[in-house]
Amino acid sequence: MSIETNEIYNAKDIEYEAQSYWLLEKTFLADENNSGEKFYSLCMFPYPSGNIHMGHVRNYSIGDAIIRYKKMCGKNIFQPMGWDAFGLPAENAAIKNKTHPASWTYTNINNMRKQLKQMGYGYDWSREISTCSPDYYKWEQWLFLRLYERGLAYKKKSIVNWDPVDETVLANEQVINGRGWRSDALVEKREISQWFLKITDYAEELLDGLDHLEEWPVQVKAMQKNWIGKSVGAQIKFKIKDTEEIVEVFTSRPDTIFGCSFIALASDHIFVRKLAEQRSNIKLFTDKCRQMSTAESDLATLIKKGIHTGFTAINPLNGEEIPIWIANYILSDYGTGAIMGVPAHDERDHEFASLYNLPIKQVIKSIDEQNTNIENLFIGKGVLINSGQFNGLSSEEAINKIIQQLNKKGAATLETKYRLRDWGVSRQRYWGAPIPIIYCADCGTVPVPEDDLPVVLPEQFEFTDKSNVLKNIPEFYHVNCPSCGKNAVRETDTFDTFVESSWYYARFTCADQQNMMLDKRTNYWAPVDLYIGGIEHAILHLLYARFIHKVMRDEGLLTSNEPFTRLFTQGMVLKDGTKMSKSKGNVVNPQDYIDKYGADTLRLFIMFSAPPDQRLEWSDAGVDGSYKFINKLWNTVHRYTNSNLTKQFHSNKAITIEQTSLRRKLHETLEKVTDVMETRLSFNTAIAAVMELMNTYNKFVINSQEDKTVAQEVLDCIVIMLSPIIPHVTHVLWRILGHDNALITEKWPKVDELAIIQDTVTIAVQINGKLRAQHLICIDASEQMVKDELFSLREVQKYITGKNINRIIIVPNKLVNIVTN
Ligand code: ANZ
Ligand code: ZN
């Protein structure tokens, strides 16, 4: 039996048919020769964990709705999909399940691809990327070598957070309460040699560029700005009394220098390191500091601890002698790793000084007299006091004058600092892209020659939980030095997986290109017009991608300045108010719903149940409601097409009020839905509007040929408007409505402005049969609206107050008769 004649909505058959059509017709294959204006929509690609989860469904349903809408508007669309396939979980899973990270990953990819296809997303699968494929990471290695040549990739020793269980380096954000975010192991500090990319060279451009990203959420831009953390200030030299040594501090507030009552050094400061070698109490203290989290967010709330060094520093401006301390709240990798402590004007210094009884001396007074010292602490700028010749100056003036004066003595320089650190890309893990470097005893660090790329990650060996996997694969580890030919060894660190995800959007545009990293297709498609993903990537992923984009631009690989024109961050999917997680056992699996209801129901529920940028609470009842709605739509269309269409209605040339009002509703809805698709992306409100329109339609009775024409227009439009959200059932209904073309090739309809104009009509108001008033109302006002409006009229009030209303007779758009006792 064909789908059309089947009265019952059968999601499985319908979805199979629609998907087969799109596949056969190559509907979503990218085409650089299409005349339409290009539109590149991208959702953050998934980590192939095994199954798609509801977060993916939400993310990808939004992207797909947009791309389908844009296609119907005549845009030349591109929507690719791929796999962020390297990373630690594959190794952990392989150890647990006694398999290989590679086969675990490939199996998962196959399964998830199947699931995404079942969801009916319009991807160009011909440009699929797996980041673990040598075809892909070859170009990453190639770009790394370009960066190495330009001095933008370098190796240095650094102290890292070391997770002893996962045996890997952790970023500060991955250390939670001193423990590894994944392993929960106590994190140690270790000094190891690692590769870095010089993102700090781009700090200023990354910051400036934010101002031009007009279509990014403001909070994401604020987070990036904070992360880059530009600070303009001075570096000031303090002599250490009775030594030849100097401590340099970085301060954004040179105007407070007369209030400086101590110097505080980070536990890793060179002077401290020297002291620690001689003094066991200092060593003990700094060892303790090292075990603590260095995440800056934790520093504010940290319980301050310090130890006096016994040394004294000399204030270069007034010669005052102040003690030098070591303190746990000083970051070793910001500024100079040393500060001048000004307890009267800095909160942390205040806390520290109070704890150790160090002097608190006010040197800034608020301009606003109301706002004076609260417990000896005034943060903010004002007017200088207790500051010798600088008294009476404003903070701004004093900052300039003080820097000038110190500068003359060679004791200060103007400095701009960024909180942003260079990007450590080394990972001591197997399942990642090899860093293309060789170490030779004679030649030192030798880049792998371009012709020898890719350095392929070996996959054919028995994977066990031993660390240093790559060092134990001789065919990989041992190589001849490309420069002298002698025995040498390969770098065994692999890239941070953020490296792969920082340029995949560009590679999609030419995924099959074997001879270069990017080709001219990149400049056609890039930048991505709409990028959709979770807010958790607001900082690192998006910043790294912006950085690598600029690097690729400077390499001449592409011409745009930014990778993503518009950014949309979707909200999380929750169950019982919390994030779905295996450990809580509250995960709902999309596959169960695809099997039970079909993809359209799942898509409708996820798009309808909440504004897309807000949290969405999972609800089985809600899913059921979505299924019912699709059935109702199915039945509504069938009721129309099955009604006796061959019957010749008599033609009633005059346009009826019912027709006008239904068409008005239709075009108001179309206007709203179009606006949602173009700008706000609040799909839930668009769907609600279409549902309302359908309710209105269902009250409409077809009596004439003209009625039928209006009904057809309304149903056509309902089907079109819902098609980006529920593309399968609408694909079939479109044909059932009598169209020869496929729905996805149909043009998005234009709003009929004339239909929206509100008409009014004068109605007669009678009370007990006597004409009491004439009143102007909207032509299609509902009964309730008419009643509300008339009862508020003074002429009417006069006759009905204190009486019981027995009956109200309404002749639409003509007359209302109110019958009282
Ligand atoms: C004296 C002072 C007085 C400061 C005052 C602030 C207020 P921003 O502007 O965010 O960059 N600082 C400098 N290096 C530090 C480090 N390694 N670890 C912890 N704190 C450090 O912050 C610059 C200010 O942060 C600097 O200015 C310094 O404290 C502190 F009323 O110097 B200030
Ligand atoms: Zn050599």
Side-chain angles (χ1 to χ4, degrees):
M1 184 163 46
S2 94
I3 297 166
E4 274 105 305
T5 54
N6 194 345
E7 294 287 304
I8 294 178
Y9 168 61
N10 179 338
K12 219 186 177 104
D13 292 352
I14 289 169
E15 293 180 1
Y16 179 78
E17 187 197 308
Q19 287 165 18
S20 307
Y21 171 86
W22 300 321
L23 186 69
L24 209 69
E25 294 300 317
K26 304 180 167 41
T27 303
F28 295 103
L29 290 198
D31 171 11
E32 286 79 14
N33 298 313
N34 177 302
S35 61
E37 190 189 344
K38 70 97 184 176
F39 192 89
Y40 180 3
S41 168
L42 184 65
C43 296
M44 291 180 183
F45 66 165
Y47 178 76
S49 55
N51 286 291
I52 61 167
H53 56 63
M54 287 302 174
H56 295 134
V57 171
R58 194 171 194 197
N59 190 173
Y60 304 157
S61 295
I62 295 170
D64 200 47
I66 291 301
I67 210 74
R68 287 170 181 274
Y69 164 75
K70 293 286 178 185
K71 184 170 176 61
M72 295 175 86
C73 292
K75 292 276 165 69
N76 185 25
I77 53 145
F78 180 39
Q79 184 179 226
M81 183 41 75
W83 313 98
D84 191 10
F86 274 137
L88 189 55
E91 290 185 51
N92 293 339
I95 291 163
K96 201 170 140 211
N97 308 324
K98 298 212 167 4
T99 118
H100 193 285
S103 56
W104 183 82
T105 304
Y106 299 137
T107 308
N108 290 347
I109 287 177
N110 286 333
N111 189 47
M112 289 170 74
R113 188 193 300 107
K114 198 176 94 207
Q115 291 182 317
L116 292 182
K117 286 186 175 176
Q118 283 182 4
M119 287 302 294
Y121 298 133
Y123 298 134
D124 179 352
W125 286 106
S126 75
R127 299 199 185 185
E128 180 181 351
I129 284 171
S130 291
T131 57
C132 63
S133 149
D135 285 347
Y136 182 78
Y137 63 68
K138 171 182 179 173
W139 300 108
E140 183 164 309
Q141 294 172 338
W142 178 85
L143 186 69
F144 175 82
L145 293 176
R146 296 281 83 72
L147 290 178
Y148 181 71
E149 269 170 26
R150 277 170 56 194
L152 287 174
Y154 65 93
K155 202 171 191 190
K156 80 161 189 220
K157 274 202 166 171
S158 69
I159 297 198
V160 295
N161 303 307
W162 180 257
D163 184 322
V165 169
D166 278 346
E167 300 187 317
T168 194
V169 172
L170 300 177
N172 285 340
E173 308 73 60
Q174 296 172 325
V175 181
I176 294 150
N177 297 327
R179 290 173 181 272
W181 66 309
R182 202 188 291 280
S183 69
D184 209 33
L186 266 183
V187 169
E188 301 163 5
K189 296 282 174 181
R190 273 205 193 173
E191 185 168 55
I192 56 173
S193 208
Q194 299 210 94
W195 286 98
F196 286 85
L197 299 186
K198 232 175 174 181
I199 190 172
T200 51
D201 267 20
Y202 286 80
E204 193 63 37
E205 197 193 338
L206 288 167
L207 183 65
D208 279 351
L210 292 173
D211 290 339
H212 305 290
L213 293 173
E214 277 149 24
E215 296 180 81
W216 277 42
V218 280
Q219 78 270 27
V220 172
K221 289 195 275 188
M223 284 157 92
Q224 293 222 344
K225 187 172 171 190
N226 250 329
W227 189 259
I228 296 168
K230 181 177 178 171
S231 172
V232 180
Q235 219 155 283
I236 302 179
K237 294 191 170 92
F238 286 70
K239 283 213 172 75
I240 303 179
K241 198 181 163 194
D242 301 330
T243 72
E244 293 300 302
E245 313 245 9
I246 274 173
V247 207
E248 249 185 305
V249 303
F250 174 69
T251 175
S252 52
R253 296 292 305 274
D255 56 318
T256 64
I257 190 165
F258 280 80
C260 163
S261 59
F262 63 97
I263 293 286
L265 308 176
S267 59
D268 282 321
H269 194 276
I270 1 164
F271 185 68
V272 176
R273 286 202 198 198
K274 279 191 229 161
L275 286 180
E277 279 168 20
Q278 301 150 14
R279 306 226 324 245
S280 60
N281 63 332
I282 290 189
K283 175 144 183 14
L284 204 69
F285 178 77
T286 56
D287 282 350
K288 261 205 202 115
C289 286
R290 223 161 270 155
Q291 278 161 17
M292 288 179 325
S293 157
T294 52
E296 204 171 332
S297 53
D298 298 340
L299 283 183
T301 53
L302 188 82
I303 298 169
K304 308 276 176 296
K305 287 218 162 63
I307 184 169
H308 186 198
T309 62
F311 285 87
T312 304
I314 299 164
N315 186 325
L317 202 61
N318 60 9
E320 203 179 320
E321 297 188 0
I322 50 174
I324 303 179
W325 285 67
I326 305 165
N328 65 346
Y329 70 100
I330 310 302
L331 294 164
S332 52
D333 61 354
Y334 182 63
T336 59
I339 61 133
M340 59 176 211
V342 185
H345 304 291
D346 181 277
E347 217 168 343
R348 295 172 188 182
D349 297 346
H350 189 267
E351 200 185 324
F352 190 76
S354 310
L355 201 64
Y356 293 105
N357 285 320
L358 296 162
I360 300 175
K361 177 176 161 199
Q362 192 191 351
V363 291
I364 306 287
K365 177 176 88 177
S366 171
I367 299 169
D368 174 6
E369 292 296 335
Q370 306 287 307
N371 185 9
T372 43
N373 275 8
I374 303 159
E375 296 188 16
N376 287 329
L377 179 62
F378 169 66
I379 311 162
K381 293 184 176 166
V383 177
L384 273 74
I385 53 171
N386 300 326
S387 300
Q389 60 178 115
F390 301 98
N391 282 342
L393 294 182
S394 73
S395 286
E396 308 296 347
E397 293 166 325
I399 287 175
N400 287 331
K401 288 242 163 78
I402 288 172
I403 293 178
Q404 256 174 37
Q405 186 151 132
L406 287 172
N407 190 263
K408 269 187 224 143
K409 299 190 203 168
T413 46
L414 257 176
E415 293 283 334
T416 299
K417 301 274 181 208
Y418 298 91
R419 280 202 152 63
L420 184 66
R421 300 274 74 98
D422 278 342
W423 176 12
V425 292
S426 285
R427 293 292 177 273
Q428 293 67 40
R429 303 300 312 185
Y430 157 68
W431 190 236
I435 297 176
I437 291 289
I438 290 167
Y439 300 108
C440 167
D442 291 343
C443 313
T445 302
V446 184
V448 172
E450 202 176 315
D451 288 346
D452 294 349
L453 296 180
V455 177
V456 176
L457 184 73
E459 293 181 9
Q460 303 303 330
F461 64 94
E462 204 188 326
F463 183 80
T464 60
D465 60 359
K466 273 194 290 209
S467 56
N468 279 334
V469 172
L470 291 174
K471 279 201 174 75
N472 291 311
I473 302 175
E475 311 85 86
F476 177 84
Y477 188 50
H478 296 286
V479 291
N480 295 329
C481 168
S483 118
C484 73
K486 290 191 200 137
N487 289 343
V489 294
R490 283 192 194 280
E491 172 64 80
T492 54
D493 282 357
T494 53
F495 283 122
D496 175 8
T497 57
F498 272 126
V499 181
E500 284 92 63
S501 56
S502 64
W503 67 284
Y504 77 113
Y505 63 91
R507 181 67 183 174
F508 272 137
T509 64
C510 57
D512 55 358
Q513 176 56 262
Q514 295 291 313
N515 304 318
M516 328 175 220
M517 184 177 190
L518 303 176
D519 64 28
K520 61 178 195 296
R521 289 174 288 177
T522 309
N523 279 337
Y524 175 75
W525 292 115
V528 173
D529 295 281
L530 174 62
Y531 193 38
I532 309 165
I535 187 82
E536 67 276 17
H537 292 299
I539 300 178
L540 293 184
H541 162 57
L542 289 169
L543 197 65
Y544 293 150
R546 295 182 61 222
F547 162 55
I548 293 293
H549 191 90
K550 291 167 197 298
V551 165
M552 293 191 294
R553 176 200 61 197
D554 293 347
E555 277 297 324
L557 297 165
L558 44 73
T559 54
S560 42
N561 291 320
E562 292 281 345
F564 313 118
T565 304
R566 180 175 184 184
L567 175 71
F568 187 85
T569 52
Q570 96 267 5
M572 244 197 294
V573 184
L574 308 179
K575 175 83 192 296
D576 308 319
T578 57
K579 198 176 161 175
M580 292 185 191
S581 81
K582 278 209 189 99
S583 59
K584 281 189 226 120
N586 65 345
V587 177
V588 266
N589 182 358
Q591 191 65 54
D592 297 342
Y593 292 85
I594 301 174
D595 294 344
K596 186 167 176 202
Y597 295 98
D600 278 341
T601 295
L602 188 53
R603 290 172 66 132
L604 179 62
F605 167 74
I606 214 115
M607 297 288 271
F608 177 58
S609 304
D613 55 347
Q614 312 269 302
R615 302 162 150 225
L616 180 156
E617 176 65 37
W618 185 262
S619 148
D620 278 338
V623 178
D624 222 53
S626 293
Y627 183 68
K628 288 204 177 103
F629 174 76
I630 295 177
N631 273 282
K632 186 169 153 191
L633 172 69
W634 181 263
N635 294 336
T636 301
V637 170
H638 278 80
R639 207 176 315 115
Y640 168 76
T641 53
N642 291 348
S643 64
N644 202 346
L645 288 177
T646 52
K647 167 179 146 194
Q648 278 300 307
F649 290 111
H650 75 99
S651 181
N652 175 3
K653 283 279 176 289
I655 297 168
T656 67
I657 289 155
E658 288 79 8
Q659 288 166 9
T660 313
S661 93
L662 180 58
R663 288 199 75 240
R664 179 178 308 131
K665 180 91 187 167
L666 165 63
H667 285 277
E668 280 167 358
T669 308
L670 180 59
E671 189 174 41
K672 183 165 189 179
V673 172
T674 307
D675 178 53
V676 165
M677 293 291 179
E678 280 297 332
T679 58
R680 292 183 293 137
L681 308 188
S682 54
F683 305 99
N684 58 318
T685 63
I687 297 165
V690 178
M691 288 175 169
E692 209 183 295
L693 170 64
M694 206 161 89
N695 286 340
T696 310
Y697 168 83
N698 276 325
K699 289 182 202 133
F700 182 75
V701 186
I702 302 176
N703 286 320
S704 69
Q705 199 59 47
E706 288 73 20
D707 286 343
K708 232 187 75 188
T709 310
V710 172
Q712 176 88 34
E713 183 190 4
V714 172
L715 289 176
D716 282 354
C717 262
I718 288 178
V719 164
I720 290 174
M721 288 188 286
L722 290 174
S723 71
I725 319 265
I726 45 175
H728 306 90
V729 65
T730 49
H731 171 85
V732 169
L733 287 175
W734 184 249
R735 216 181 41 237
I736 292 171
L737 280 165
H739 302 283
D740 296 332
N741 66 336
L743 178 53
I744 189 70
T745 66
E746 179 69 12
K747 284 264 151 330
W748 190 264
K750 288 227 149 37
V751 175
D752 179 353
E753 299 293 342
L754 285 178
I756 297 183
I757 295 169
Q758 287 271 342
D759 280 339
T760 51
V761 63
T762 306
I763 58 162
V765 188
Q766 296 182 339
I767 292 164
N768 298 324
K770 281 214 180 83
L771 182 70
R772 298 294 186 191
Q774 303 260 13
H775 189 66
L776 208 62
I777 60 160
C778 283
I779 206 163
D780 61 343
S782 68
E783 266 184 35
Q784 195 55 50
M785 276 163 67
V786 173
K787 281 185 208 164
D788 289 349
E789 199 157 328
L790 297 188
F791 278 100
S792 67
L793 295 177
R794 209 178 316 125
E795 307 91 296
V796 175
Q797 291 260 311
K798 203 158 81 185
Y799 294 99
I800 62 169
T801 19
K803 298 195 172 151
N804 282 335
I805 312 276
N806 287 343
R807 219 148 46 100
I808 301 170
I809 302 152
I810 300 180
V811 184
N813 298 310
K814 287 211 177 82
L815 175 146
V816 174
N817 187 14
I818 302 167
V819 183
T820 66
N821 56 3

